[in-house]
Each structure stands twice: as structure tokens, then as C-alpha cells.
Amino acid sequence: MGVRCLGGEVMTARIDEVLLSVLSDEIADANGDFVVFDDPDGALLRFSLDAVRETSNGVYVASRSFSQAVSAQRVSHQEAASNVLVAGMDNPLYLPDFFAENFTDETRTVIALGRLPKSLAELDYIAHCLSQVKGTATFVAVGNTKHMTKSQNHVLSQHFAEVYASRGQGKFRCLIARNTEKTSAQTSTYQPAENEGRYGVGGVFCSASRDHGGTLLAETVIPYLITGGRVLDLGCGNGQVSFDLLTAVPGIKCIATDISADAVVSARMTLHEHVENNMAQVIWDDAARSLDDSSVDTVVLNPPFHEGTRVDASLYEKLVKAAHRVLKPGGNLFLVHNSHLRYRGLLDKNFAIVEQLARNSKFTVLRATTASAK
């Protein structure tokens, strides 16, 4: 199966082929508004654009990834599609607000598509938001069968009247969840996780819990910070490290950024008072690309090493290079990593000085310093 693309046909990943196949079996007349969640290759967006063409229906992109949102916005501009709204770009980033703003018509049909999130918390977040739709809502989510559990069905059943699985097609199958007009539009309010001033929305790493690597990172960094310094929390998660630094060192300014929408929303809640006082800023971004070169004094980094369900220790490379770009001459990157991973080599290639500052049985903190101005 191919999905139409400007300039011709493109190949569609098998996992998306399965979703679109199940969708055609389950919904004979796919006439309604489309909501697109996780869509790494853009296949679901292009399908949705074709489905609403020549209708008054819209396509709503609710991806939790900044890079996917940017790609969706670019495709909609290429297609001159005025009926596409992207959460965080055109509308609120926080999904309950995004849905409350756009889905109030009880006569509308909503068809939601996406790959199954790896975390139950993120699935619950998405399902809760879809349950607020006042018309008919159907959610078709595709996953690798070996990573699917009955717990996913249970989460969906808390928000939908009907939940069932499709037949498997090779490695993949779909979960289908439905609400009719009589069962939809639940009135409950989504409640983010909260713990000691930290907030966790959807699939943010660690939810509202304290990350032990982040704790060691903050404790190690604090003695090196000075009042008036500009600190970038690169890949901020729920905002824990920024919160700890701002609390311990009055007068610094933190920029917290993450590619994950759920992380950004969580960090904005965690850092609310500091944002209100203009001591913190939280940005949805990819590898701090919106920041100028040589614009910060310090970068703190607790890099991810998972991509979905796949372990990938190379994910931090882009972040390390971004840190080097935004640091002023003589500026410091403080990086925490699982002690069994070999992260120092890339730092040695990019920074003038690299040293180990802290280490315990699980985590290591390195400081990497850029060359001073000549």
C-alpha cells in the first residue's frame, strides 16, 4: 500500500499499512474529522489529508513529538491544507485544552489514528482526551504484538464503551476503541501526576517521580553555578533538574527544553512559579535549535538512551553537539549517564577538557568544557 505524496508514491511502513487496513475494515465510511497521534513517517497524516479532501472535515495533529509536529506543519503548508491544526503550533500543546478548543460539536464524528505509545500513562492521557469528544469517537492504534498487553485494553476500557483487538497481521495488530454519542463526552478532568512539586503529564519520563540520575546531576552542578548565569536544561523531562537548580541557586536563569510535548507541559507545571517570575522558560524544541550559538553559560544533560522500546545509546550524540553549539567559550556541559554506558569518547572529540566529577553504582557525572575565547 502506498500513500500519496507530492511528486508521486512513497512506501508506507508495514506497521502503518496494518493500521490503515484495519481502519478500512472497521470504518466503512471514514467521513469525519481525523486526529493523528504518533506518526513517525507521516503516512497517517497523508492518508487523513486525502480522506478529508473536498469535505468540510479537518485533520488535527496531536503528536507528542516536536519533530513530528514540525513535519506535519510543513506537509500541510505544501498541500495548502487550511483544515489542518497542529497541537503546540496552531493550538494549545496541552491536549485537554487542545481537545476542549476543537471538539465541541455533538454532531461530528472523530477518527483517531496512531501507533500505540509504550507507556500506559501516555495511553491513558490520549484516551482521556478522546473521551471528551462530544460526538462519536473511534481510536485505532497499532502496535507490535510482542509489546502489547491486556493492560492496554484495560486502560482504554476506562474511557471507551467498546474496546477490542484486531486480528494480527504478521508482527502487528490494532486495538480499536469506540464511543457513541450516548457514551462519549465524559466530564472528568484529566489529573496530572504530582509528587513534591513535580508534575507528570502523559508519557513524560519518570512521570512526577524523582529521577536518581537527575538528582545526582543537580547535586554535582550546584557548586559550579553563579548568580546571573544562564543555564540550559537540555532534555528537561518533568523539570526536576531545573527546579532543583533554581531552588538552590537564586539568581540563575534556566531554559528548559525537550522534544517531548508531555515533558514540556510537565516542566511548565513544575516550574510554574519560576516561569511567572521570569527566572525560567520552557520551550518545545528539538536539540535546542531555537537557541543562538554561544548563548548559555552552562548546559545540564540527562540524555535518553531509549527510542520507543529500542535501546539506543547513540541518541545523545545530537544533544551533545547541540550543547557544544550553544555554550559560550569556556562554558560547561554537565552530563549524567548510566555508568555502564561509554559516553566519554564523544565528549573528548567535541570539548577541550573532560573530567569525571561524580560516580556511584548506577550513574556518572562528567563535566566537559569548551575552549576559551582566543
Side-chain angles (χ1 to χ4, degrees):
M1 179 187 295
V3 176
R4 188 193 56 76
C5 174
L6 293 179
E9 290 283 313
V10 293
M11 296 300 294
T12 303
R14 178 57 183 157
I15 187 171
D16 295 323
E17 287 184 349
V18 171
L19 189 155
L20 297 176
S21 171
V22 170
L23 177 67
S24 66
D25 291 340
E26 295 295 328
I27 303 178
D29 181 17
N31 180 25
D33 294 319
F34 280 77
V35 180
V36 178
F37 287 102
D38 189 28
D39 179 29
D41 301 328
L44 306 184
L45 172 60
R46 294 185 185 280
F47 171 87
S48 301
L49 287 170
D50 278 344
V52 303
R53 202 174 303 280
E54 315 251 336
T55 75
S56 61
N57 300 322
V59 176
Y60 299 84
V61 178
S63 170
R64 303 292 78 208
S65 162
F66 179 80
S67 57
Q68 287 188 32
V70 169
S71 177
Q73 196 171 52
R74 182 173 60 251
V75 169
S76 68
H77 290 163
Q78 289 173 345
E79 297 267 356
S82 59
N83 56 347
V84 178
L85 290 176
V86 182
M89 302 292 182
D90 311 287
N91 271 222
L93 183 60
Y94 186 44
L95 285 188
D97 293 341
F98 181 72
F99 274 79
E101 191 168 300
N102 291 297
F103 298 96
T104 59
D105 188 343
E106 296 182 4
T107 67
R108 305 293 281 186
T109 295
V110 174
I111 303 163
L113 309 173
R115 297 187 187 180
L116 271 171
K118 69 173 183 176
S119 85
L120 294 178
E122 183 176 353
L123 183 62
D124 180 69
Y125 180 47
I126 291 170
H128 179 277
C129 293
L130 284 170
S131 76
Q132 306 305 299
V133 170
K134 293 187 177 180
T136 300
T138 301
F139 182 30
V140 183
V142 65
N144 190 312
T145 303
K146 71 179 181 179
H147 297 140
M148 296 172 70
T149 68
K150 291 184 178 180
S151 296
Q152 293 167 326
N153 299 59
H154 177 72
V155 167
L156 290 173
S157 69
Q158 304 304 302
H159 303 284
F160 290 90
E162 184 181 13
V163 178
Y164 56 97
S166 71
R167 299 180 71 173
Q169 298 184 38
K171 297 178 180 179
F172 309 109
R173 70 172 66 239
C174 292
L175 291 181
I176 301 98
R178 279 200 180 95
N179 274 338
T180 67
E181 290 115 339
K182 293 181 180 179
T183 59
S184 64
Q186 298 180 16
T187 58
S188 60
T189 301
Y190 175 76
Q191 295 294 330
E194 192 276 330
N195 184 6
E196 298 179 340
R198 297 178 299 273
Y199 288 84
V201 171
V204 63
F205 175 72
C206 241
S207 188
S209 299
R210 176 169 286 281
D211 173 60
H212 297 299
T215 298
L216 179 63
L217 176 62
E219 291 173 349
T220 304
V221 171
I222 286 169
Y224 294 89
L225 300 181
I226 59 172
T227 298
R230 198 163 185 244
V231 180
L232 170 63
D233 184 356
L234 184 56
C236 62
N238 64 19
Q240 168 195 322
V241 173
S242 287
F243 183 86
D244 289 349
L245 299 182
L246 286 161
T247 301
V249 189
I252 63 169
K253 290 193 174 182
C254 276
I255 304 165
T257 179
D258 206 294
I259 194 172
S260 162
D262 293 351
V264 168
V265 171
S266 301
R268 285 175 179 168
M269 293 179 180
T270 300
L271 300 173
H272 173 73
E273 291 187 10
H274 297 288
V275 171
E276 290 290 308
N277 293 331
N278 295 315
M279 302 307 291
Q281 183 181 12
V282 185
I283 303 172
W284 195 28
D285 203 354
D286 182 6
R289 71 179 195 174
S290 64
L291 272 66
D292 293 335
D293 294 357
S294 304
S295 59
V296 301
D297 302 289
T298 303
V299 176
V300 292
L301 175 59
N302 183 3
F305 60 95
H306 284 87
E307 177 66 33
T309 55
R310 179 174 59 90
V311 175
D312 184 357
S314 69
L315 290 172
Y316 82 107
E317 293 184 14
K318 180 169 70 172
L319 298 177
V320 167
K321 292 178 180 178
H324 186 272
R325 179 184 66 80
V326 300
L327 277 168
K328 296 176 181 178
N332 291 313
L333 163 65
F334 296 88
L335 180 148
V336 65
H337 64 86
N338 291 67
S339 294
H340 69 277
L341 297 175
R342 299 293 179 258
Y343 278 13
R344 183 159 182 162
L346 184 65
L347 298 182
D348 287 329
K349 291 179 182 178
N350 287 274
F351 290 83
I353 302 171
V354 180
E355 59 182 324
Q356 179 178 301
L357 297 182
R359 184 181 181 92
N360 60 28
S361 60
K362 294 187 68 175
F363 302 104
T364 297
V365 177
L366 302 174
R367 178 173 71 162
T369 305
T370 58
S372 298
K374 295 182 180 179

